[in-house]
Amino acid sequence: MNEGSDVTRAPVERARWAVAWQLAPLGVAVGSLALGAIALGSRAITTDEAASIARADGQLGDVLTTIVNDAPGEAGSLLVLRLAMTVGNDELALRAPSAIAVALAAGLMVVLGTMLLGRVGGLVAGVALAANAGVVVASREARPYALGILGIVIATLLLVEALERGGGWWWVLYALAAATLPLYHPLAASVLAAHGAALIARRDRADLRTAGISLLAGTVFATGLLIWMAADRFSASAPEDLDLTSLGREIVAAGGWNPALGAAAVAGIVFLLRDAQSDSPGRWIGVLVSGLIAAPPIVTLLTAVGLPVHAGALVLCAPGVALAVGAVVLLLSPTRGLVAAGLAILLIASGTTIVVQLRQPVSEDWRALAAAVKSVKGPNETVIVLPGGSRAALAYYAPYLPTLRFARGDGVWVAVRAETAEEAIAASRPSVTTPRYALLRQFKYGDELRLQHWVRP
């Protein structure tokens, strides 16, 4: 009788496991969204976020004009922000699209990883992306990085689907996804080089010609978009000097500042590249994953020769890192229990780094600064914001407060972004003439934001 129960139970158990695996992408996506949504609106809008919000504010026609004339590289993110503004204009509403984009990317990563690495490998890859502290930080900002991560996952998933399923329509969808990658984020288009390398590694395919045409068509269109975006960047000033130190720092951030995640990714890359150097049928997977990690930093270095770049965009390496971590499952699976132990270590380490990053002090508290200026500003005092690009941040919290470029009146309040008090004073002197004005006091609102009160002696 017990044997009969076991026989009956086996198909039921298999059906339950099948349903559980089918729901795995949804579960990872929900978990990712929960991580991104924790106190999502608690932190003040930063200068970079405020600049994008200001560009997206207005009628749709005005936003499109801004994209064409001033910010082609932010096309996708500005349109998403404009859509978010139909719901609300607070921090939560404006940052929610980033959290949703990362959640979708994490769920789709489970599907992509399953196709490349098997069910368990796909689940681990999705968890690795969702629990990457660098990705979690990106999901909590009204910036284009989260959208770029989603674009990379979508385009790569469509490439793998087209390779596995074949058929013209899948290649058409892939070509469209490849062509529009720069609209997610300009650096996202760098992964087309990884896709090309993967196709070369699968040169035994019968439909390689169709694949090559699709990739070429998408790349040509994406290149046209990038040229349009690059023309605007020629007149922009570099946000910071890009050197090997800053490059390494941002690559570490793409690994979530997590030694366990980094070590797993390195082990996965070594395992995959070992197959890539052999005649293994899966060698193209190693080429693809390695390219997804290597393409963004290489393209960033090459671009920095002639154009200003944002090193923070290197978080777009995260999808490749997640797939490399998922590949460790193939390495550990012969030894029973190691996969579960490794996943537990990864979750503990990731949870710790996420908590540490979310508890970091704010670098710019424009909300508190705006409230302070409102309460202490005298009737015959003026306000200056330095550098000028930070005016949008103060305007977000105090749109009623006029700002000037040079000091006037009995006193002046200067909001200045600087890392030290000395740098803040030096930055203020061109706008506040001395000895006509003297610095009375200086307040700190985050590590990189100060408020000065200059008065007539």
Side-chain angles (χ1 to χ4, degrees):
M1 187 170 182
N2 289 336
E3 292 180 0
S5 299
D6 291 339
V7 171
T8 304
R9 190 181 299 115
V12 176
E13 292 295 329
R14 285 196 296 268
R16 289 176 178 173
W17 275 110
V19 172
W21 282 115
Q22 290 174 357
L23 293 177
L26 178 60
V28 171
V30 170
S32 172
L33 186 60
L35 285 174
I38 297 173
L40 186 58
S42 62
R43 291 201 172 196
I45 292 292
T46 64
T47 295
D48 292 334
E49 289 178 296
S52 297
I53 293 167
R55 293 190 187 102
D57 194 13
Q59 298 297 321
L60 179 59
D62 297 331
V63 176
L64 292 175
T65 301
T66 299
I67 291 172
V68 172
N69 296 329
D70 301 320
E74 298 181 58
S77 62
L78 292 185
L79 291 175
V80 169
L81 277 174
R82 181 64 191 86
L83 179 62
M85 288 178 182
T86 62
V87 178
N89 201 44
D90 58 354
E91 296 93 334
L92 178 60
L94 295 172
R95 288 170 173 159
S98 292
I100 294 171
V102 166
L104 290 173
L108 293 174
M109 177 58 71
V110 178
V111 180
L112 173 60
T114 298
M115 298 181 69
L116 295 174
L117 309 168
R119 284 180 171 178
V120 179
L123 178 61
V124 171
V127 170
L129 184 63
N132 183 321
V135 174
V136 172
V137 170
S139 74
R140 300 169 59 80
E141 299 176 337
R143 303 292 307 283
Y145 302 146
L147 204 60
I149 291 171
L150 176 60
I152 289 173
V153 174
I154 290 175
T156 306
L157 177 59
L158 287 173
L159 171 69
V160 176
E161 283 279 5
L163 286 171
E164 294 298 320
R165 296 176 181 268
W169 284 111
W170 282 108
W171 287 116
V172 169
L173 290 174
Y174 168 70
L176 291 173
T180 56
L181 271 174
L183 299 178
Y184 291 90
H185 190 285
L187 190 59
S190 65
V191 301
L192 293 178
H195 293 177
L199 289 181
I200 293 174
R202 291 209 67 174
R203 55 185 175 273
D204 57 324
R205 293 265 315 184
D207 59 346
L208 184 62
R209 181 177 178 182
T210 303
I213 292 173
S214 299
L215 176 62
L216 180 62
T219 302
V220 168
F221 193 88
T223 301
L225 288 175
L226 289 172
I227 292 173
W228 170 49
M229 295 172 178
D232 173 73
R233 296 295 292 165
F234 273 117
S235 60
S237 59
E240 60 181 36
D241 293 331
L242 182 67
D243 51 29
L244 293 180
T245 301
S246 60
L247 188 74
R249 184 173 62 247
E250 295 303 333
I251 290 176
V252 170
W257 303 278
N258 186 342
L261 188 69
V266 170
I269 292 170
V270 171
F271 176 77
L272 290 172
L273 287 180
R274 184 183 65 185
D275 280 351
Q277 295 172 356
S278 68
D279 292 329
S280 168
R283 65 185 183 275
W284 71 278
I285 299 176
V287 173
L288 175 63
V289 175
S290 302
L292 291 176
I293 298 174
I298 291 174
V299 170
T300 297
L301 279 173
L302 294 175
T303 305
V305 175
L307 294 173
V309 295
H310 289 270
L314 291 178
V315 72
L316 269 64
C317 297
V321 172
L323 287 172
V325 173
V328 177
V329 171
L330 303 178
L331 181 64
L332 300 180
S333 56
T335 305
R336 189 171 184 178
L338 278 183
V339 174
L343 182 58
I345 293 172
L346 177 63
L347 288 174
I348 293 172
S350 297
T352 302
T353 53
I354 290 171
V355 170
V356 169
Q357 289 304 314
L358 294 186
R359 296 186 66 179
Q360 289 291 319
V362 297
S363 59
E364 310 168 37
D365 193 348
W366 286 99
R367 183 194 294 133
L369 184 145
V373 171
K374 180 182 178 181
S375 63
V376 300
K377 177 181 172 295
N380 198 30
E381 292 185 323
T382 54
V383 178
I384 296 175
V385 179
L386 298 171
S390 298
R391 291 192 190 97
L394 181 61
Y396 178 81
Y397 289 106
Y400 49 81
L401 196 65
T403 59
L404 300 178
R405 295 181 182 273
F406 299 98
R408 290 175 53 188
D410 297 334
V412 57
W413 293 90
V414 182
V416 56
R417 290 179 64 199
E419 294 185 359
T420 66
E422 292 75 17
E423 291 178 359
I425 295 171
S428 301
R429 289 195 182 277
S431 298
V432 184
T433 307
T434 56
R436 185 180 179 187
Y437 289 94
L439 180 61
L440 179 62
R441 48 190 172 172
Q442 184 168 216
F443 307 93
K444 191 175 180 182
Y445 292 91
D447 294 336
E448 299 178 8
L449 182 61
R450 286 166 170 78
L451 179 64
Q452 304 167 345
H453 189 200
W454 297 75
V455 296
R456 291 183 183 274

